[in-house]
Amino acid sequence: QVQLVESGGGLVQAGGSLRLSCAASGRTFDNYVMGWFRQAPGKEREFVAAKTWSGSSTYYADSVKGRFTISRDNAENTVSLQMNSLKPEDTAVYYCAATSGTMTRWAFSYDYWGQGTQVTVSS
């Protein structure tokens, strides 16, 4: 049974940092793309970042480029999202996801999802 479990969310002031982690289990993710998405109240789920499990390719949404960094730890089977220079508009529930397909920003292409972790950035 595949499980993706996010952690690390919380409340932070604008300009601050948070690090989200996603623990993956239940299968081998060697050929998977791991992604982070977010969903704010009343808005659609949006792509944040993605990385191949091998680490060879990385993709960021324009809104987070230069502020967020996605990384993976193969030994620990985790994928992390380091978020710096946070803004109030980054407030959302953040989800970890995995796809066996190619690198993509489209949520419908992802096969597995975590339960989400809340990030709140105060102004």
Side-chain angles (χ1 to χ4, degrees):
Q1 179 182 355
V2 173
Q3 274 197 311
L4 301 177
V5 180
E6 303 96 336
S7 61
L11 173 64
V12 64
Q13 287 189 330
S17 299
L18 279 176
R19 186 177 181 87
L20 306 183
S21 291
C22 172
S25 63
R27 68 161 301 126
T28 301
F29 289 91
D30 290 355
N31 297 316
Y32 274 65
V33 171
M34 305 300 293
W36 284 96
F37 289 77
R38 66 188 182 186
Q39 188 165 18
K43 294 189 176 181
E44 292 187 355
R45 191 167 298 191
E46 67 170 350
F47 171 77
V48 174
K51 192 175 189 71
T52 53
W53 197 257
S54 67
S56 59
S57 296
T58 306
Y59 184 22
Y60 293 98
D62 288 343
S63 59
V64 306
K65 205 173 292 184
R67 299 188 298 123
F68 291 10
T69 302
I70 185 171
S71 61
R72 85 280 182 263
D73 183 330
N74 290 349
E76 296 293 326
N77 246 24
T78 59
V79 177
S80 297
L81 185 69
Q82 177 66 41
M83 305 185 295
N84 298 329
S85 302
L86 282 161
K87 305 174 182 180
E89 52 263 44
D90 294 318
T91 295
V93 176
Y94 283 71
Y95 297 91
C96 175
T99 176
S100 58
T102 56
M103 180 76 78
T104 178
R105 64 184 298 122
W106 303 113
F108 62 78
S109 296
Y110 285 76
D111 307 301
Y112 304 107
W113 292 85
Q115 82 289 348
T117 186
Q118 177 70 46
V119 171
T120 303
V121 184
S122 63
S123 56

